[in-house]
Amino acid sequence: MKHGDITDPERGPLRSRTAAGRFTAALRRRAAGTSVTVFRRRTGGASFAAAAVVAALVSGCGIRTTSVPVDAGAAPSRVPCRLSPSDVASASPEGTRAKVYLVCASQLVTVERPVDRSAAGDDPAAVARELLAEAQRAPSAGERRAGFTTAVPVGLRVAPTRDDDPAGTVRLSSQPEDLSAEALSQIVCTYAESETLARGGSVVLGGPGTYPPRGYLCTTQTKARPGDLVTTPDAAGLD
């Protein structure tokens, strides 16, 4: 008999230091009509007990368990949509300031930028060119930190008007309806801040084609949801 074995009065020496020995002894006792309990390995039992405790805690909190790993993703980021005083550029003595609409948190929000005095003049084409350049200019480092972006394409230009265009009409190098909703809303709301370009609260825009110009309104809904841009069907009626 090996060291550590025990002796069964009826079956002789039994191996007791291994799981196989305990299992064999249990079978023998069951066959003899003796009630026994078969013990599991300690590591397996501990894991099962820990899993049972976790399941009980989760079910007690009213949370459904799942066997599929869940990736909750990163926490939602928050942007201020507001520039700090140190990020606001000051106007030069020869210039002025103008409100320009940019996109921030899926909405239109104004920033004040230094512009040439032509942006506040009486020439609609000059005002339109200056303000368009600001709307399509990439945001500064401070504006990017605050969450601002622009959707106005860099290649967009102000085109010459036609003789039969209503007063104050701004023609663009692309048809306004071909621009993205955010880009068109940026342009309309930026132009609406200009007394030279806004007529009755409406901005009249046209494109290079033969389509007649249309009036566009910058409303509170437009600023909150740039895709909801209100148009006036007859720009000629704005004269």
Side-chain angles (χ1 to χ4, degrees):
M1 182 174 62
K2 296 183 180 180
H3 178 70
D5 290 349
I6 60 175
T7 303
D8 186 280
E10 298 179 358
R11 300 295 180 180
L14 299 176
R15 295 170 60 189
S16 61
R17 289 189 177 273
T18 65
R22 289 194 298 272
F23 185 76
T24 303
L27 292 179
R28 290 175 178 175
R29 292 185 182 184
R30 182 180 296 275
T34 305
S35 176
V36 297
T37 302
V38 179
F39 294 94
R40 299 179 182 273
R41 293 181 62 185
R42 179 174 298 178
T43 56
S47 299
F48 178 79
V53 171
V54 173
L57 291 176
V58 172
S59 61
C61 295
I63 303 175
R64 295 181 61 186
T65 59
T66 176
S67 60
V68 180
V70 176
D71 183 8
S77 59
R78 295 183 178 180
V79 291
C81 295
R82 181 181 302 174
L83 295 176
S84 63
S86 59
D87 290 328
V88 178
S90 58
S92 64
E94 297 80 16
T96 183
R97 304 185 67 81
K99 289 184 178 180
V100 178
Y101 280 84
L102 300 178
V103 180
C104 188
S106 301
Q107 299 181 2
L108 295 186
V109 184
T110 56
V111 297
E112 285 198 356
R113 285 180 172 175
V115 295
D116 188 80
R117 288 192 179 275
S118 61
D122 298 328
D123 182 359
V127 174
R129 281 193 295 268
E130 185 69 23
L131 293 180
L132 177 62
E134 288 300 322
Q136 63 191 174
R137 183 163 63 87
S140 64
E143 291 169 344
R144 290 196 301 270
R145 285 194 296 269
F148 289 100
T149 61
T150 183
V152 181
V154 177
L156 189 65
R157 296 289 182 267
V158 174
T161 57
R162 300 173 183 176
D163 294 338
D164 57 346
D165 285 342
T169 297
V170 177
R171 285 196 175 266
L172 303 174
S173 57
S174 295
Q175 197 66 26
E177 294 81 4
D178 293 338
L179 300 173
S180 68
E182 291 81 4
L184 182 56
S185 297
Q186 275 187 254
I187 295 171
V188 169
C189 289
T190 298
Y191 283 175
E193 294 287 342
S194 170
E195 295 181 358
T196 303
L197 301 179
R199 300 165 52 249
S202 178
V203 175
V204 182
L205 299 179
T210 59
Y211 299 102
R214 301 177 66 182
Y216 296 86
L217 298 175
C218 178
T219 65
T220 302
Q221 182 70 9
T222 301
K223 298 174 185 178
R225 300 181 62 181
D228 296 342
L229 191 62
V230 180
T231 63
T232 57
D234 186 8
L238 297 173
D239 286 335

